[in-house]
Amino acid sequence: MQPYVIPFQSLGIADIEQVGGKNASLGEMIGNLSASGVCVPGGFATTADAYRDFLKNNGLEQRIKKTLEALDVDDVTALARAGADIRGWISAAPLPPRLEQEIRQHYSDLAAGSDASFAVRSSATAEDLPDASFAGQQETFLNIHGIDNILHAIREVFASLYNDRAISYRVHTGYTDSSVALSAGVQRMVRSDLGASGVMFTMDTESGFRDVVFITSSYGLGEMVVQGAVNPDEFYVHKQKLAAGYPALVRRSIGSKQQRMVFNKDRAAGRSTSIEEVPQAERDSFSLTDKDVLELARHAMAIEQHYGRPMDIEWGKDGLDGRLYILQARPETVQSQVVAGGVEKFRLKQRGEVLIEGRAIGQKIGSGPVRLVASTAEMSKVQAGDVLVTDMTDPNWEPVMKKASAIITNRGGRTCHAAIIARELGIPAIVGCGHATGVLKENEIVTASCAEGDTGFVYRGKLPFEITRQDEKALSPLPVKLTLNVGNPTLAFEFAQMPSAGIGLARLEFVINNLIGIHPKAALQFQTLPAELKAAVLKQARGYADPLAFYVEKLTEGIATLGAAFWPRPVIVRLSDFKSNEYRKLLGGELYEPLEENPMLGFRGAGRYVAPSFRDCFELECRAMKKVREGMGYTNVEIMVPFVRTVQEAREVVELLAQNGLKRGENGLRLIMMCEIPSNALLAEEFLQYFDGFSIGSNDLTQLTLGLDRDSSLVANRFDERDAAVKILLEMAIRACNRQNKYVGICGQGPSDHFDFALWLMDIGIQSMSLNPDTLLETWRKLAEAHPKG
């Protein structure tokens, strides 16, 4: 006679049919990964046979079958009524005597006489397979004490196989009810109510980039993250550098973490958990230390290596013993199933008024009328093509989510169940907007764009967008390397999967403007700032030791993200090239920046770096660059110096870099100069004494050669990189570099806009062209056709 209850340590992945994917995976990890330091709390599981015999003994099989055969799952009212009836039958039915006796015995062995706390979770036999995610469809009960409560929770878990969302999902994914059974897992609780918890994926959930571990974290029990009830902290760790021994935490993002779920101290009240507000000081701090993040990433990599596929993992940090525990692990079922060879890309043709923003899910764009839905009771309001707007969703909403053109929520992070379901359905979602239900109006037409990086934007009105399919097959070799212009590091994981030779231009200004937002002097002189400005800077820098540490760490994160995404391909990072009018827009900028009549020709580039008034600010960039290259191991990151007016300025800036630990040639460091002033081409041989090559900035070179302001609409029609005078200077610079066997590339807009210009550059010997990502494949194919032999 087969047992109805099996301890986790006796289970393995081969037992999915008996205990479901979740419980089988817990046993698999206990048996195979404990030696790697992966800690999984112990417990036991009821079997699929126990579940089926439970239904049979109570005469429920035929009643359930008859009810479901008559059900139209797209009728949400009928679905809710049928689901409630079935769950009521199951919850009221007694467990078979043998099953109850085995549960009592295993509970006694596990609790060992203590008043221990347990989680009772579902594990469906069709759940957590590589091609289907049943995540969150059945119930979880936390902080359960005593055998009577355990027995009650197990019946409730059994009943949850017939939640509305679970019934609908099985129909739409082709699983029959007779093929799915339920196992209840009883697991010792981790005291994450006193610590933190969250979800991690062994890939980037949005781009499908496989070389990072993506971790979300918030205070308290993990259900708040999983349900999307909080906006959690986010972390990215680069696998290759972590494996090589580096502290490869490349990006952090602090979440609001307004609430947490904790154990209910008054269990007599009938609720095992309660929700409490998180104090402001804790909200303004990261919920995990860097050490914790790196340890979790190592566990994730060990789990992924054992299973041989990308994984979706829930974890908890015990606030009593300080240890990190793995609570669940299942295959990732969205990005890992994408077929290689081509991908759809969404792009807005124009932008409009931003109404609200949040975390982007899905890299797509959707538009339609706003449909405000307060609860599941109002789900019938949602019609095909509506933009569903609500406080938060959970998998109960799946029956109507598939009708929506986009989903927008006040709360939630990128690893909550609703985000997972939105990805599976191919619907763009913007989560964690804060107050979308208060800003967006019923029937208002909006466009939800998730195609602009980590941040999703809700625009007023229906904006035009295009969908293209990028096919990377059969690209012929070229006599020139094609690299990418990348401004936004949050898009790096997506762009890294394109067939480029690396990054030819990464602009540090984007990091400073979008991820930092503080003038470097305001960070350096924080204590002397006016009170109101000081408060604004502190708010921006929350989660970090102080504004100065925030400034350097955010620079480091932006550069490291680029270096990790393209590792080991070269990444040329241009040091900041803000003009004074642009620096003035940062917090504190008006205190430190001059008002210039013509900032384009004023205090910028290398001349700014070496000026005594800005030197301490420039040293912050050097500090970040050195940490990325030496502390984190991204020696593929190279440095580009912009707007070098004179040979003396070139010598001074190279000396200043060396004084700050960035000496040309050491640890393979290449220094590239931006060739964008006529003097650079005219004196190319002299400038190249101090640099390892040129990256030609055709935008500035054209305006300075032709004497026109490229930002002026009055003369815009005269701006052309293909002008004969510009071409003479370009050819001088290219030939000078090639004579000295030094690098020469171009990173201006010209090759992206004009194919004939790109062809001319290739013919005269340019080594590399850095293009906008949306023009890479088309330019590649055209160049290959013009030079069929490569």
Side-chain angles (χ1 to χ4, degrees):
M1 187 165 55
Q2 295 297 318
Y4 277 157
V5 180
I6 305 173
F8 286 164
Q9 63 267 28
S10 299
L11 294 171
I13 206 64
D15 298 306
I16 286 179
E17 289 188 5
Q18 271 300 305
V19 297
K22 191 180 300 177
N23 287 334
S25 181
L26 291 170
E28 181 77 9
M29 290 188 291
I30 290 172
N32 294 277
L33 294 175
S34 296
S36 301
V38 176
C39 297
V40 178
F44 59 84
T46 64
T47 66
D49 287 342
Y51 172 78
R52 292 190 178 102
D53 287 351
F54 163 71
L55 293 184
K56 187 182 301 181
N57 287 359
N58 289 284
L60 294 176
E61 284 181 313
Q62 290 306 312
R63 292 177 72 186
I64 293 171
K65 182 179 180 181
K66 184 178 179 180
T67 301
L68 294 180
E69 283 177 347
L71 176 65
D72 174 7
V73 296
D74 292 324
D75 181 342
V76 294
T77 303
L79 174 62
R81 185 167 54 245
D85 288 345
I86 296 171
R87 293 192 299 274
W89 302 337
I90 295 174
S91 297
L95 296 174
R98 180 163 74 89
L99 173 57
E100 181 173 332
Q101 180 55 40
E102 289 190 31
I103 293 170
R104 287 182 178 277
Q105 183 59 55
H106 281 82
Y107 174 80
S108 177
D109 294 343
L110 190 61
S114 67
D115 184 28
S117 173
F118 294 89
V120 184
R121 293 188 174 93
S122 66
S123 182
T125 56
E127 183 179 32
D128 302 334
L129 303 180
D131 61 346
S133 173
F134 284 57
Q137 290 184 13
Q138 284 78 53
E139 297 295 340
T140 294
F141 299 90
L142 304 176
N143 189 28
I144 305 301
H145 292 254
I147 185 58
D148 291 338
N149 291 323
I150 293 287
L151 292 168
H152 175 74
I154 287 174
R155 285 199 306 276
E156 293 294 323
V157 163
F158 285 174
S160 71
L161 188 61
Y162 292 95
N163 280 335
D164 303 352
R165 61 194 187 257
I167 296 171
S168 173
Y169 191 89
R170 287 196 295 275
V171 170
H172 288 293
T173 53
Y175 285 88
T176 62
D177 282 273
S178 61
S179 69
V180 182
L182 207 66
S183 165
V186 178
Q187 185 179 40
R188 187 179 290 275
M189 283 289 295
V190 170
R191 292 302 304 268
S192 53
D193 62 308
L194 304 175
S197 55
V199 181
M200 57 183 173
F201 287 80
T202 60
M203 66 192 307
D204 177 39
T205 54
E206 301 312 310
S207 67
F209 184 64
R210 297 287 186 93
D211 292 345
V212 290
V213 177
F214 173 50
I215 301 170
T216 59
S217 172
S218 194
Y219 299 115
L221 300 173
E223 288 299 292
M224 297 291 280
V225 175
V226 172
Q227 292 171 1
V230 293
N231 301 339
D233 300 331
E234 297 181 353
F235 308 89
Y236 283 94
V237 179
H238 185 220
K239 294 176 185 175
Q240 287 93 324
K241 287 301 178 184
L242 183 65
Y246 288 97
L249 174 47
V250 296
R251 199 196 315 169
R252 307 169 184 83
S253 176
I254 194 163
S256 56
K257 308 182 296 294
Q258 293 179 342
Q259 296 177 315
R260 61 183 160 206
M261 183 181 287
V262 297
F263 286 4
N264 196 341
K265 298 178 178 64
D266 181 15
R267 296 205 300 271
R271 291 168 51 238
S272 59
T273 61
S274 59
I275 295 172
E276 67 179 26
E277 296 296 309
V278 175
Q280 191 64 48
E282 292 182 59
R283 296 184 197 181
D284 291 342
S285 301
F286 284 106
S287 51
L288 284 177
T289 66
D290 289 359
K291 182 181 177 183
D292 288 336
V293 172
L294 297 176
E295 183 180 341
L296 281 172
R298 291 187 191 97
H299 294 338
M301 289 169 63
I303 293 168
E304 179 182 54
Q305 183 176 12
H306 178 76
Y307 284 97
R309 60 172 64 101
M311 299 295 288
D312 167 357
I313 302 162
E314 293 183 26
W315 61 270
K317 180 177 182 179
D318 194 304
L320 294 178
D321 64 20
R323 298 180 68 185
L324 295 163
Y325 293 88
I326 301 302
L327 307 179
Q328 294 183 35
R330 51 184 167 255
E332 194 278 340
T333 58
V334 180
Q335 290 291 350
S336 58
Q337 301 301 307
V338 173
V339 177
V343 65
E344 282 187 339
K345 296 292 182 183
F346 287 65
R347 186 178 71 85
L348 278 177
K349 290 185 176 181
Q350 68 181 62
R351 289 175 173 81
E353 178 190 352
V354 176
L355 299 176
I356 201 163
E357 61 185 61
R359 307 299 285 169
I361 308 296
Q363 297 187 323
K364 294 185 177 183
I365 300 171
S367 59
V370 167
R371 195 65 59 224
L372 294 168
V373 181
S375 69
T376 53
E378 299 181 356
M379 286 197 300
S380 59
K381 291 170 54 178
V382 179
Q383 303 300 310
D386 286 350
V387 175
L388 171 60
V389 181
T390 187
D391 181 51
M392 59 177 276
T393 68
D394 61 39
N396 279 318
W397 294 66
E398 188 270 342
V400 297
M401 287 171 73
K402 58 180 174 285
K403 293 183 179 181
S405 61
I407 300 165
I408 300 167
T409 70
N410 294 337
R411 296 189 282 168
R414 290 196 289 148
T415 57
C416 67
H417 283 150
I420 293 171
I421 292 171
R423 291 188 196 98
E424 288 185 345
L425 296 174
I427 296 170
I430 302 175
V431 301
C433 295
H435 50 285
T437 51
V439 172
L440 303 178
K441 306 303 180 187
E442 184 79 2
N443 290 318
E444 179 181 18
I445 303 299
V446 298
T447 297
S449 172
C450 296
E452 302 172 64
D454 279 0
T455 302
F457 298 95
V458 181
Y459 295 98
R460 186 185 302 280
K462 184 175 182 178
L463 300 183
F465 62 91
E466 64 180 6
I467 307 172
T468 58
R469 185 165 183 83
Q470 297 186 350
D471 184 358
E472 299 174 7
K473 293 180 180 177
L475 290 170
S476 302
L478 296 173
V480 61
K481 292 181 178 178
L482 298 186
T483 58
L484 296 175
N485 297 330
V486 179
N488 184 350
T490 68
L491 291 170
F493 298 147
E494 176 189 348
F495 293 155
Q497 297 172 84
M498 301 180 73
S500 73
I503 295 180
L505 171 63
R507 302 176 180 91
L508 215 53
E509 302 92 85
F510 185 96
V511 177
I512 296 171
N513 192 52
N514 293 65
L515 304 183
I516 298 175
I518 300 171
H519 193 284
K521 281 286 187 187
L524 285 161
Q525 301 179 9
F526 170 72
Q527 295 300 336
T528 67
L529 296 178
E532 186 175 346
L533 180 57
K534 184 182 287 188
V537 169
L538 269 181
K539 182 179 180 182
Q540 188 80 355
R542 67 190 188 282
Y544 294 78
D546 54 55
L548 188 59
F550 168 73
Y551 193 97
V552 174
E553 283 303 310
K554 279 300 177 188
L555 279 177
T556 301
E557 291 170 22
I559 300 166
T561 296
L562 297 167
F566 283 81
W567 177 263
R569 289 171 288 173
V571 172
I572 299 177
V573 177
R574 185 179 72 186
L575 299 169
S576 63
D577 193 25
F578 273 138
K579 292 79 177 172
S580 54
N581 60 322
E582 294 165 333
Y583 262 123
R584 284 180 65 85
K585 296 175 184 177
L586 299 173
L587 277 175
E590 293 184 359
L591 296 178
Y592 304 107
E593 292 296 326
L595 281 169
E596 295 187 278
E597 290 293 330
N598 191 348
M600 188 72 76
L601 298 179
F603 194 39
R604 62 176 290 201
R608 179 181 273 263
Y609 306 158
V610 300
S613 63
F614 194 79
R615 186 169 295 205
D616 55 351
C617 299
F618 177 65
E619 288 173 354
L620 302 182
E621 297 181 32
C622 295
R623 196 185 305 177
M625 194 71 72
K626 184 177 180 182
K627 181 176 180 179
V628 169
R629 284 183 48 85
E630 297 182 9
M632 303 179 75
Y634 294 111
T635 52
N636 60 324
V637 172
E638 302 177 348
I639 295 176
M640 186 196 300
V641 181
F643 221 76
V644 186
R645 292 180 171 94
T646 66
V647 175
Q648 178 182 344
E649 213 168 67
R651 176 178 55 78
E652 290 175 357
V653 76
V654 170
E655 289 176 354
L656 185 57
L657 285 165
Q659 291 168 19
N660 283 279
L662 296 168
K663 187 174 183 180
R664 179 184 168 202
E666 281 191 358
N667 202 19
L669 175 60
R670 287 203 312 178
L671 298 184
I672 308 299
M673 191 187 93
M674 194 109 174
C675 178
E676 54 189 332
I677 304 173
S679 63
N680 300 153
L682 294 169
L683 297 178
E685 304 281 352
E686 286 86 344
F687 280 104
L688 285 169
Q689 296 175 59
Y690 299 99
F691 293 94
D692 297 293
F694 282 167
S695 181
I696 298 169
S698 56
N699 296 346
D700 270 356
L701 186 62
T702 300
Q703 79 164 348
L704 294 173
T705 301
L706 301 182
L708 54 82
D709 181 354
R710 59 187 168 104
D711 291 333
S712 171
S713 60
L714 299 175
V715 293
N717 63 318
R718 303 293 179 90
F719 185 93
D720 192 340
E721 301 93 331
R722 298 166 294 179
D723 184 272
V726 179
K727 280 186 168 182
I728 288 172
L729 292 173
L730 288 169
E731 190 166 355
M732 290 175 65
I734 292 168
R735 296 198 185 283
C737 289
N738 284 331
R739 279 196 303 272
Q740 295 193 29
N741 197 30
K742 293 192 174 186
Y743 168 83
V744 61
I746 187 167
C747 60
Q749 188 71 22
S752 293
D753 290 345
H754 309 295
F755 173 71
D756 59 329
F757 185 52
L759 191 61
W760 177 81
L761 287 166
M762 187 167 70
D763 288 340
I764 66 166
I766 197 84
Q767 297 169 21
S768 171
M769 283 186 273
S770 195
L771 306 172
N772 296 336
D774 59 349
T775 66
L776 175 72
L777 298 179
E778 182 183 0
T779 303
W780 190 316
R781 289 196 179 92
K782 286 184 176 180
L783 290 173
E785 290 170 5
H787 284 257
K789 294 182 180 180

